[in-house]
Amino acid sequence: MDGDPSVEPELDSFSLTLPLPYRAALIIVLGVWAWGANLHYLSLVKIDVPSLLHYPSRASPRTDPPHHLSAYRLATLLTIPLTLSLLLFWLLSRRDPTLVIHYDYLPIAYLVLLLSLFLLPLRRFSSSGRTRFLTTLRRISIGGLAPSNAGKFGDILLADVLTSYAKIIADLFVSLCMFFSGPDGSATARPDRGCGGQYLVPIIIAIPSLIRLRQCLIEYVRVRNHNIKNGGMSAQTGWGGQHLANALKYASAFPVIILSALQRNLSLDHEDIGVTETTLYRLWLAAVFINSVYSFYWDVAKDWDLHLFTAVHQTLTGTSLALHPHSHAHPQATPFGLRERLVFPRPAIYYSAIALDLLLRFTWSLKLSPHLDHFADFESGIFVMEALEVGRRWMWIFLRVETEWVRGLGMGIGMGTSRGEGLLGQEEVLLGDYSGGNSDED
């Protein structure tokens, strides 16, 4: 999804209104609002997100604001200066290309402010939340993973979010690289995604997937060590193969990133690498299809513990869906393709999430349309695709957290069990094993 100079050789109309650094900042701020919405709705359906994340208890639960309100306050604190900065930029630049390039220090100044607001200990604006975020970010930045009773789920959640923000992180780097590239450099010029070298941006995009890959390998090693310590494999942890399968999912992103980088630079060195444009495109198409299908399957079957693929297969083959071994529910009590325990009020929510996830996992298919094939090459198209991926991740979080809560209910978490016991106290548990109990609708 890199800009194509043959499509937009000069500063495009969209960038005159919303230059690259402002676009990255806008999506980051919207992400904070989205996290507040996640916390807000999940609290309304009685899911205790802080306990799942092993978040420190409030010093004064009766007087301190709820966590979603703290997130909204931080989002407001970030939004006000962004709005003022944008209005001032529009007033001064008036969409004139020369002035847009000249006033590039305004969005850069906001990015510095954005970073400062995350670091400054302003108590009224979720200071403890920002401290926890930065601590977790430091740990996962090298692929680290906390133990299960010390916030492992939070580490995984944040690392997964970073995979959706990979291109935004790369855009931040490009903005800063262009700003410091010399006296003629400007962060608000036409984005140069080759700034710093033709492969540096693809490496930055790959880092979040590499972080999750390492976390999956850590989980596999923990399962192996647990089995060695206990003298054999347990039914609850298995041999760890599912963590290797999860690692393979993240590894499947690397061919897509590499082939995209080669496609972008094909006009420069295709003779050197000995690959034609058509061959490279077909390889990219195969890689992105495998990654999308694999990721969609994992979202539905593993991250959300939904039985859609099993139900469809058994419907087509005429066999019946086997119940969970600890379940006492009648098979017809479970909505088709879902699971027995559903926290959200209507099955339609789950079906809609599945459909949207499928649609947004395959946004790359726009390149197959003869009328929309250049959409992802325009800066406006890049921005829309990045925003859609962040929106997909926002939706994914609702069901991923709900699934973790349901797994905990199956082991007694949230029903009088102390934090860190039961499921969350196990070093590793096979994904998709817990659907326990009846639906909350009963």
Side-chain angles (χ1 to χ4, degrees), residues 136-343:
T136 303
L137 187 61
R138 279 197 301 270
R139 181 167 57 245
I140 70 170
S141 63
I142 55 173
L145 186 66
S148 296
N149 59 358
K152 183 188 80 171
F153 179 60
D155 286 10
I156 292 174
L157 204 64
L158 179 57
D160 270 323
V161 169
L162 289 180
T163 63
S164 292
Y165 271 86
K167 290 190 171 91
I168 290 94
I169 296 171
D171 282 349
L172 288 174
F173 166 79
V174 169
S175 298
L176 294 174
C177 179
M178 291 168 59
F179 184 74
F180 292 107
S181 60
D184 296 327
S186 173
T188 51
R190 195 187 74 81
D192 176 15
R193 291 182 171 82
C195 189
Q198 60 183 3
Y199 295 115
L200 188 54
V201 168
I203 290 173
I204 293 173
I205 293 174
I207 288 175
S209 294
L210 188 61
I211 288 173
R212 280 297 287 128
L213 173 64
R214 187 172 186 272
Q215 287 181 335
C216 293
L217 296 178
I218 290 174
E219 291 191 274
Y220 167 73
V221 171
R222 286 180 180 177
V223 170
R224 188 184 63 178
N225 292 340
H226 178 270
N227 290 339
I228 293 174
K229 180 180 178 181
N230 290 276
M233 180 178 68
S234 70
Q236 195 173 55
T237 61
W239 65 275
Q242 194 153 235
H243 298 305
L244 293 181
N246 200 13
L248 182 62
K249 181 194 73 173
Y250 292 102
S252 70
F254 300 143
V256 178
I257 296 170
I258 293 170
L259 291 168
S260 295
L262 290 175
Q263 280 186 302
R264 189 184 70 227
N265 295 286
L266 187 62
S267 60
L268 301 178
D269 54 14
H270 67 282
E271 294 181 354
D272 295 335
I273 63 177
V275 178
T276 66
E277 183 176 357
T278 301
T279 300
L280 200 56
Y281 174 74
R282 288 173 179 173
L283 290 172
W284 170 84
L285 193 61
V288 73
F289 179 79
I290 292 171
N291 174 257
S292 298
V293 171
Y294 200 162
S295 299
F296 172 67
Y297 166 78
W298 202 273
D299 287 343
V300 175
K302 304 300 180 181
D303 288 342
W304 298 343
D305 285 358
L306 302 178
H307 307 313
L308 177 67
F309 300 107
T310 303
V312 170
H313 175 264
Q314 294 182 338
T315 298
L316 294 176
T317 58
T319 56
S320 59
L321 180 64
L323 290 176
H324 188 277
H326 302 296
S327 171
H328 302 288
H330 191 276
Q332 293 183 352
T334 303
F336 178 82
L338 303 185
R339 48 177 144 79
E340 295 167 37
R341 183 179 291 275
L342 302 176
V343 175

Side-chain angles (χ1 to χ4, degrees), residues 1-4 6-8 263 277 281 284-285 363-379 381-382 385:
M1 295 196 337
D2 297 303
D4 187 347
S6 66
V7 177
E8 293 182 304
Q263 280 186 302
E277 183 176 357
Y281 174 74
W284 170 84
L285 193 61
T363 51
W364 56 266
S365 62
L366 290 173
K367 286 181 174 287
L368 303 180
S369 168
H371 304 291
L372 299 173
D373 58 333
H374 280 305
F375 174 77
D377 294 321
F378 290 107
E379 289 301 322
I382 294 173
M385 302 280 267

Side-chain angles (χ1 to χ4, degrees), residues 4-32:
D4 187 347
S6 66
V7 177
E8 293 182 304
E10 303 297 338
L11 192 62
D12 59 288
S13 176
F14 183 71
S15 295
L16 291 176
T17 302
L18 202 62
L20 184 64
Y22 276 130
R23 299 201 295 266
L26 179 60
I27 293 180
I28 291 173
V29 173
L30 288 176
V32 179

Side-chain angles (χ1 to χ4, degrees), residues 28-36 39 55 65-82 110 113-134:
I28 291 173
V29 173
L30 288 176
V32 179
W33 282 106
W35 175 239
L39 294 174
Y55 192 85
H67 292 87
H68 65 267
L69 183 57
S70 296
Y72 287 150
R73 287 179 175 178
L74 176 60
T76 302
L77 180 65
L78 300 176
T79 301
I80 292 175
L82 174 60
Y110 176 76
L113 178 62
L114 180 67
L115 178 62
S116 300
L117 290 175
F118 270 103
L119 297 177
L120 293 176
L122 302 176
R123 189 179 182 279
R124 286 182 57 83
F125 298 96
S126 189
S127 61
S128 59
R130 283 176 289 140
T131 301
R132 179 63 181 269
F133 168 79
L134 294 173

Side-chain angles (χ1 to χ4, degrees), residues 341 343 404-415 423 436-437 440:
R341 183 179 291 275
V343 175
E404 194 72 12
W405 184 251
V406 169
R407 293 173 186 170
L409 292 177
M411 296 294 293
I413 304 300
M415 300 175 67
L423 172 63
D440 283 351

